[in-house]
């Protein structure tokens, strides 16, 4: 719930609904950052917070913004009477982690130097982001499928073994199979992408039976 409140604050302050929206964030003006850090300048504008996206969260400018966000969290906590109380350090860690995620999303959307030694165009950046997002979604889907398959198999084996009597001849085989599935874990399950599992392809062959007439 605490992380949800931190995310709600960031959505309200920066007008975003997901991490990817942060790619449109306008970084702080370099001269303003330099003035604050080296010339006793005024610092971040409370009405228009802008991170210094050339660095992490530990710079004086970004640390100041995180402190301002922390105070706003404290204000909301009192005003809305949250049913939980956490230390400032606890919220600070969540804020820093959220900033890193937003910063990563913003950095990924910046033009990169191509193999030809020139910066990517806006269309090339968009294509790269779409491709990366597709790969991430594919990876998440595969992981989810493997996890679900493992859970189904583990539950099925547990149920079968419970139904077996100690005298059943095939009980050791089922117990061995259960141990094997647990040893393999999620990662040992094949994905649902194709009909070929674990590089083993099932091939059906017609078997000639002695009692069956041959058909030409």
């Amino acid at each position: 719930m605490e992380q949800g409140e931190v995310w709600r604050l960031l959505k309200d302050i920066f007008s975003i609904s997901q991490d990817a929206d942060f790619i449109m964030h306008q970084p702080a003006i370099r001269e303003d950052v330099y003035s604050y850090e080296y010339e006793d300048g005024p610092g971040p504008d409370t009405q228009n917070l802008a991170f210094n996206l050339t660095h992490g969260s530990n710079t004086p400018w970004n640390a100041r913004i995180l402190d301002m966000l922390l105070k706003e969290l404290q204000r909301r906590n009192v005003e809305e009477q949250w049913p939980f109380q956490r230390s400032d350090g606890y919220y600070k860690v969540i804020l820093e982690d959220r900033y890193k995620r937003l910063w990563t999303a913003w950095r990924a959307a910046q033009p990169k130097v191509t193999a030809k030694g020139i910066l990517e165009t806006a269309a090339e950046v968009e294509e790269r982001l779409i491709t990366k997002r597709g790969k991430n979604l594919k990876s998440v889907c595969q992981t989810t499928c493997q996890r679900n398959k493992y859970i189904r198999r583990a539950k099925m084996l547990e149920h079968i073994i419970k139904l077996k009597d100690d005298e059943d001849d095939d009980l050791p085989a089922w117990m061995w199979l259960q141990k094997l599935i647990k040893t393999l874990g999620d990662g040992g399950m094949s994905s649902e992408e194709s009909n070929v599992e674990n590089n083993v392809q099932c091939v059906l062959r017609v078997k000639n039976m002695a009692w069956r007439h041959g058909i030409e």
Side-chain angles (χ1 to χ4, degrees), residues 99-115:
Y99 168 77
K100 290 177 182 178
R101 293 177 58 177
L102 295 175
W103 179 71
T104 300
W106 183 86
R107 291 272 295 181
Q110 303 311 300
K112 299 182 182 298
V113 178
T114 66

Side-chain angles (χ1 to χ4, degrees), residues 31 58 63 70 100 117 128 148 158 168 175 178 195 209:
E31 289 75 15
N58 58 349
L70 178 60
K100 290 177 182 178
R128 173 167 56 80
N148 291 338
E158 182 179 0
D168 288 342
M175 295 180 66
Q178 182 187 47
N195 293 326
M209 309 300 292

Side-chain angles (χ1 to χ4, degrees), residues 44-140:
D45 182 0
T46 57
Q47 302 302 316
N48 185 28
L49 292 180
F51 282 105
N52 175 18
L53 295 175
T54 58
H55 297 284
S57 60
N58 58 349
T59 65
W61 180 277
N62 289 338
R64 174 58 179 160
I65 291 180
L66 293 178
D67 286 339
M68 296 166 72
L69 294 174
L70 178 60
K71 289 182 179 180
E72 177 60 18
L73 271 177
Q74 295 169 334
R75 187 194 66 80
R76 291 188 178 194
N77 190 351
V78 175
E79 185 177 285
E80 300 173 5
Q81 298 181 346
W82 294 350
F84 49 85
Q85 299 293 327
R86 302 296 187 201
S87 65
D88 290 350
Y90 179 85
Y91 284 118
K92 194 71 173 292
V93 170
I94 298 178
L95 284 168
E96 290 177 351
D97 180 67
R98 270 293 174 180
Y99 168 77
K100 290 177 182 178
R101 293 177 58 177
L102 295 175
W103 179 71
T104 300
W106 183 86
R107 291 272 295 181
Q110 303 311 300
K112 299 182 182 298
V113 178
T114 66
K116 297 181 180 180
I118 59 177
L119 285 178
E120 294 175 321
T121 64
E124 289 173 333
V125 171
E126 182 180 7
E127 182 180 358
R128 173 167 56 80
L129 292 177
I130 292 175
T131 301
K132 182 178 180 180
R133 180 174 176 80
K135 290 181 179 179
N136 290 340
L137 290 176
K138 182 178 179 180
S139 177
V140 170

